Amino acid sequence: MARRILLLTMLWLLLGSCERTSPEEKWITALSARIEAGYQSLHSSSRDLNRQVQEFCVQNTDINVPRQQWRQTMAAWQDIQWVRFGPIVEHNDDWKIQFWPDKKNIVARKVNKMLNEPQSITVEGVANASVVVQGLSAVELLLFDEPYVTQFTSTGTQSGDQCQLLTAITTTLAANTGRIVQAWQDAQFQAGWLASVGQPQDGVHANAVSDAVGAMLTQMEKVKVDKLGGPLGYKNRNRQPNGYFSEGWRSDSSLDNIKINLLAMQGIMQNNEAYDLRRLLESKGNAVIADEFQARLNDNLALLATIDKPLREAVMEPGYRQQLEDLYQSLGALNSLIKTKLTKALGINLGFNSNDGD
Amino acid sequence: MKSVARLVLAGSILVAGPVQASVTEQGVVKTYGDIAYAVFSDSLSTAESLQTKIDALVSKPSQATLDAARVAWKQARVPYQQSEVFRFGNGIVDDWEGQLNAWPLDEGLIDYVASSNYHHEMGNVGATANIIATPSLKLGGTTLDLSEITPELLASLNELGGSEANVATGYHAIEFLLWGQDLNGTKPGAGQRAYTDFVQGKGCTNGHCDRRVAYLKAATELLISDLKYMQAQWAPGQENYRAELEAQKPQVAITKALFGMGSLALGELAGERMKVALEANSTEDEHDCFSDNTHYSHFYDAKGIENIYYGTYKRVDGSVVKGDSLAQLVAAKNPELAKATDQQFKASMGSMQALVDKAEGKQPMKFDQMIAEGNEEGAELIKNAINGLVALTRKIEKVATELGVENLSPDNADHDF
């Protein structure tokens, strides 16, 4: 608490010289730094993955080492996955990092196509291929899916086509994430994004605050409808569950992903080191919304912690149905809060988002 | 009769001069209903023509009768795609359309597929059920009696085993039966089913021609009865969905209209039907993947959005349904926005037209060729179409704000399964 007051005092002193900065601008400035740090973490994790994959391939080391690094990279991505605005969406870089949902297993089809044409397995070949093979989903297939893992171990040496492909993909991933960091840091983009805070909220001009809150809502709707509702079968009329529709069924990372997505929301609302969304709400006399948001997040985190099996399995077992249903409802309550009270407190309108089709 | 009266009225207002003041929200809602009724009526009449051609095909299978049925299927898509703008908001349409236009489908549920070239949804227990070859289907612990193929049976088999890729009915099931799998990938050519797949007795290819014919007829019959149902829901002066809608404040229907336009443009058409297919280079995500009619289906989806905005629909017989429009409401309130929206519609429809021109041109490039890896020209065409729809959606949002529609994404968080 004392630390928080000290920080606030320092911040107040710092901002004393530019008191015309609006609370919205302060939030967006701090949020931008947070996003940049997230992208940097994703990039450095991707580079480590690239290095460890090469060690695995050349030195024949334990597959669990690159697997663990894949998990770390995926975690870094999940933390920043909610950012569906800015440079990352302009070249579909988000899909290059991860292609999902993939109900028809396009990732296996596209990876097999490359493996069947070994001359295509180069960094250039991957960069020019379908977005599906350029990122974490394809790496997950190669490192976790049984036939591919067996192929690694059966050949004894790991220098075959799969290894070349793994190396080419992770090289591409490292390059793509590096480009994303740079694009986010771009001074012109940053200036424009910050300036957009003052733009009219009219559905035509970009506005950083509604970009950010809209992206939070889109992300949490995806968590509810796709990441949880998908495997539960709620997107189908007769609601049959299907474990293959969970996000990380090959690596059993689905629930970890949801947890990181929730913690990312928490980090946006409350970050003692910087001007967070809570402070923006406080500036408008709406601290109560921040409290409510945190309470709903806590509900979700608590419910999530009760599920002690991979989501792929839990959705298929009637014994877990009530917990999963409770979590689904609880996510709905959080989203409802964002959609209504939070947007109202911030005085913004949200337009269409890409979830509005079916 | 009523709509004729309105047409005359609208005409006289136009002549009278300062028109905008007399355009009312009620009038816009009426036009919305008029277009729905006309577009579903046209969907029905073109489906009935399709049925006539299918009857001719099955009674006398030949290349000519098969080709005629294929042409009729493509014609039936023209009004139906223009009806899709009534989805996303009109619950009655949303709950109903899956049986008619569900997609993408695991066609191995219906008929034979090439085992080496068939990619179905993971975990789909019905992906290779092959209803046509299987009078009795064992699935899990139960055995389904499929001996008699009726419209009701097919309707009950939709989402068999819980997978939404199990599409037993509707336009795409009929499309698959008329064309067969498109085994050309991203290379030229559509499905190549031979008419002999419908020949009875000696000469039947790929087996079970009797059941294939029964399936095709039952699916077409179901399509027609479904369309009749929806046409009746929009008929004027009846106790139906349209009457309920018109009994509410006009803002309710206007919100639904705008929500449908924006959702179809952005999430569905630009997103699911174009961006996914393009970025993943995935022919499995092509909308009319058997017939290679995708460019037209996309174009008429967008056309449907334009129809609602301008309150005008050109029917298949060439006559025009016309009335008070959103465009006129906007023009009365904010001429500048009206002009900008007009320009955006022109540009967006232009980039949809470019897809059609390329696909139907001298050296045709169909949608599945456009999405091939490395096809820069094709990718550019699709990207332009996507960007046009995204920009159009932004204008629709602006229009909504101007017309006092505050929240385009209504809060239904706990009810939207």
Side-chain angles (χ1 to χ4, degrees):
Chain A
M1 195 60 191
R3 185 152 172 251
R4 173 120 195 242
I5 291 167
L6 180 68
L7 271 165
L8 275 173
T9 314
M10 283 171 62
L11 198 73
W12 185 79
L13 286 172
L14 265 170
L15 294 168
S17 57
C18 49
E19 54 201 351
R20 280 198 198 142
T21 312
S22 68
E24 277 84 357
E25 284 168 312
K26 289 179 199 165
W27 181 51
I28 290 301
T29 305
L31 187 65
S32 178
R34 183 180 173 75
I35 293 168
E36 185 186 330
Y39 283 148
Q40 267 167 343
S41 157
L42 174 64
H43 177 47
S44 91
S45 237
S46 303
R47 277 191 313 193
D48 289 348
L49 179 62
N50 181 229
R51 190 169 41 78
Q52 296 195 355
V53 156
Q54 293 182 57
E55 281 176 19
F56 162 69
C57 284
V58 175
Q59 297 165 19
N60 233 343
T61 47
D62 183 1
I63 194 168
N64 284 312
V65 178
R67 275 180 174 178
Q68 190 50 39
Q69 188 57 38
W70 178 89
R71 285 186 194 282
Q72 239 180 63
T73 314
M74 182 53 110
W77 167 239
Q78 293 290 330
D79 176 55
I80 206 77
Q81 190 187 42
W82 70 276
V83 186
R84 290 192 172 83
F85 51 82
I88 193 156
V89 291
E90 274 163 27
H91 306 287
N92 297 310
D93 281 333
D94 48 347
W95 288 12
K96 288 180 188 162
I97 295 169
Q98 181 200 20
F99 184 80
W100 189 83
D102 180 19
K103 293 194 291 192
K104 286 207 166 189
N105 205 8
I106 300 172
V107 67
R109 191 144 25 106
K110 295 291 179 185
V111 163
N112 293 343
K113 189 177 166 226
M114 294 206 80
L115 290 172
N116 289 334
E117 298 163 8
Q119 73 281 4
S120 72
I121 308 178
T122 59
V123 173
E124 207 194 352
V126 167
N128 290 330
S130 163
V131 294
V132 181
V133 295
Q134 297 190 24
L136 292 169
S137 309
V139 178
E140 183 187 21
L141 175 83
L142 289 164
L143 287 180
F144 292 89
D145 202 296
E146 207 191 317
Y148 301 88
V149 175
T150 312
Q151 179 68 22
F152 278 127
T153 45
S154 70
T155 50
T157 68
Q158 292 162 355
S159 57
D161 294 338
Q162 284 193 174
C163 256
Q164 279 189 36
L165 183 55
L166 206 46
T167 305
I169 294 171
T170 52
T171 305
T172 308
L173 179 65
N176 286 342
T177 52
R179 200 181 62 239
I180 291 164
V181 173
Q182 281 183 354
W184 187 263
Q185 289 169 331
D186 180 77
Q188 209 179 343
F189 165 74
Q190 281 296 324
W193 201 53
L194 187 60
S196 78
V197 170
Q199 296 250 35
Q201 241 276 290
D202 58 6
V204 173
H205 297 91
N207 175 291
V209 176
S210 60
D211 275 358
V213 177
M216 289 168 70
L217 178 60
T218 301
Q219 171 74 348
M220 291 317 298
E221 284 190 338
K222 281 189 191 293
V223 170
K224 180 192 167 208
V225 176
D226 293 338
K227 296 191 182 194
L228 187 59
L232 277 170
Y234 287 2
K235 296 178 91 174
N236 299 342
R237 268 187 307 182
N238 48 10
R239 308 179 109 213
Q240 282 285 327
N242 184 341
Y244 292 119
F245 290 177
S246 58
E247 189 182 19
W249 65 269
R250 289 189 166 96
S251 55
D252 286 337
S253 57
S254 307
L255 292 172
D256 293 341
N257 292 350
I258 294 176
K259 186 176 174 186
I260 296 165
N261 298 152
L262 287 165
L263 291 174
M265 293 298 116
Q266 180 167 290
I268 297 166
M269 182 58 78
Q270 182 126 8
N271 174 10
N272 294 345
E273 314 287 318
Y275 196 98
D276 52 19
L277 183 51
R278 172 178 283 277
R279 271 172 248 202
L280 175 57
L281 286 164
E282 280 167 359
S283 79
K284 299 182 175 298
N286 269 316
V288 62
I289 307 285
D291 294 338
E292 215 180 309
F293 187 91
Q294 188 61 51
R296 296 289 82 75
L297 268 175
N298 291 345
D299 295 345
N300 280 295
L301 288 165
L303 282 165
L304 192 67
T306 67
I307 302 158
D308 54 9
K309 261 199 176 167
L311 187 59
R312 169 179 62 90
E313 294 170 28
V315 292
M316 304 306 282
E317 290 185 25
Y320 285 83
R321 186 42 62 103
Q322 191 58 50
Q323 287 152 271
L324 292 168
E325 172 63 27
D326 289 348
L327 178 60
Y328 188 80
Q329 294 296 334
S330 172
L331 285 164
L334 175 64
N335 297 351
S336 198
L337 176 74
I338 300 175
K339 217 186 256 190
T340 55
K341 293 186 184 170
L342 182 61
T343 51
K344 202 172 165 199
L346 298 172
I348 53 176
N349 276 322
L350 298 180
F352 286 103
N353 66 56
S354 55
N355 288 346
D356 288 334
D358 68 358
Chain B
M1 202 55 206
K2 256 189 174 172
S3 68
V4 174
R6 171 142 293 281
L7 273 174
V8 174
L9 191 65
S12 62
I13 290 168
L14 276 171
V15 178
V19 292
Q20 313 297 11
S22 49
V23 172
T24 64
E25 291 189 336
Q26 282 86 353
V28 170
V29 175
K30 178 170 187 315
T31 311
Y32 185 65
D34 286 343
I35 293 179
Y37 182 59
V39 86
F40 285 117
S41 299
D42 282 352
S43 299
L44 175 60
S45 70
T46 51
E48 286 168 340
S49 308
L50 170 63
Q51 187 176 42
T52 309
K53 301 295 180 194
I54 283 174
D55 286 346
L57 164 68
V58 300
S59 68
K60 225 175 182 178
S62 71
Q63 193 58 48
T65 51
L66 177 58
D67 287 344
R70 287 174 174 173
V71 169
W73 184 89
K74 287 185 179 178
Q75 286 168 346
R77 295 292 283 168
V78 172
Y80 182 78
Q81 289 301 99
Q82 291 180 80
S83 85
E84 285 214 288
V85 72
F86 293 96
R87 294 176 56 191
F88 312 109
N90 294 298
I92 197 163
V93 182
D94 290 324
D95 294 341
W96 161 91
E97 69 87 31
Q99 192 158 297
L100 287 89
N101 200 36
W103 152 94
L105 57 158
D106 285 352
E107 62 270 21
L109 170 78
I110 298 173
D111 200 357
Y112 68 90
V113 288
S115 56
S116 61
N117 206 334
Y118 175 50
H119 308 282
H120 59 78
E121 190 175 273
M122 284 183 292
N124 179 7
V125 292
T128 53
N130 195 348
I131 295 164
I132 284 172
T134 317
S136 167
L137 177 66
K138 267 202 190 122
L139 205 65
T142 52
T143 302
L144 299 169
D145 176 11
L146 310 179
S147 53
E148 198 187 340
I149 299 177
T150 62
E152 297 72 32
L153 176 80
L154 295 185
S156 76
L157 294 174
N158 270 329
E159 296 197 8
L160 180 73
S163 172
E164 62 182 340
N166 286 330
V167 178
T169 65
Y171 288 100
H172 297 297
I174 296 170
E175 181 194 5
F176 170 54
L177 287 172
L178 292 179
W179 272 273
Q181 273 184 297
D182 181 351
L183 299 173
N184 305 301
T186 56
K187 298 197 169 64
Q192 302 282 344
R193 188 186 290 278
Y195 70 87
T196 49
D197 273 10
F198 302 100
V199 169
Q200 300 303 299
K202 209 179 140 201
C204 161
T205 48
N206 295 302
H208 316 285
C209 288
D210 53 335
R211 287 178 61 83
R212 191 169 295 113
V213 162
Y215 197 118
L216 182 56
K217 291 182 76 160
T220 310
E221 206 178 313
L222 182 64
L223 180 69
I224 286 171
S225 66
D226 284 342
L227 288 167
K228 277 183 180 158
Y229 166 80
M230 191 52 64
Q231 181 202 33
Q233 291 298 325
W234 293 91
Q238 307 285 321
E239 274 183 42
N240 56 12
Y241 174 77
R242 179 174 176 182
E244 285 168 30
L245 188 64
E246 289 180 346
Q248 299 177 69
K249 284 185 298 188
Q251 278 281 314
V252 173
I254 287 177
T255 303
K256 284 180 194 293
L258 289 163
F259 189 74
M261 290 161 68
S263 301
L264 178 61
L266 186 69
E268 186 65 22
L269 188 52
E272 291 291 315
R273 295 192 190 176
M274 290 205 275
K275 188 181 162 194
V276 176
L278 174 66
E279 294 302 328
N281 312 107
S282 169
T283 51
E284 298 300 320
D285 290 283
E286 187 197 0
H287 193 62
D288 294 352
C289 69
F290 308 114
S291 61
D292 282 353
N293 190 52
T294 304
H295 52 288
Y296 273 130
S297 280
H298 290 353
F299 175 83
Y300 286 113
D301 260 350
K303 184 78 187 157
I305 299 168
E306 190 182 47
N307 293 343
I308 300 305
Y309 185 68
Y310 289 105
T312 170
Y313 166 61
K314 189 175 176 193
R315 301 197 58 166
V316 288
D317 67 3
S319 65
V320 176
V321 177
K322 200 168 166 44
D324 286 3
S325 66
L326 292 167
Q328 289 169 309
L329 282 184
V330 177
K333 288 193 167 186
N334 184 342
E336 210 175 304
L337 173 62
K339 204 175 149 195
T341 309
D342 287 346
Q343 282 168 353
Q344 190 57 56
F345 262 109
K346 275 207 187 84
S348 301
M349 290 309 296
S351 55
M352 298 305 295
Q353 183 68 50
L355 289 182
V356 172
D357 291 346
K358 191 71 203 172
E360 297 289 324
K362 273 194 185 138
Q363 288 178 310
M365 185 199 291
K366 305 289 187 192
F367 190 84
D368 56 358
Q369 296 166 260
M370 292 178 195
I371 62 175
E373 280 155 340
N375 182 349
E376 283 173 25
E377 188 192 359
E380 194 63 27
L381 281 164
I382 298 174
K383 275 181 192 158
N384 286 339
I386 292 171
N387 292 339
L389 290 167
V390 172
L392 186 61
T393 309
R394 299 298 160 230
K395 284 285 184 291
I396 293 169
E397 287 170 352
K398 184 93 165 86
V399 162
T401 311
E402 190 65 51
L403 298 181
V405 175
E406 286 293 322
N407 195 351
L408 269 185
S409 69
D411 182 28
N412 57 352
D414 299 315
H415 308 286
D416 56 353
F417 294 141

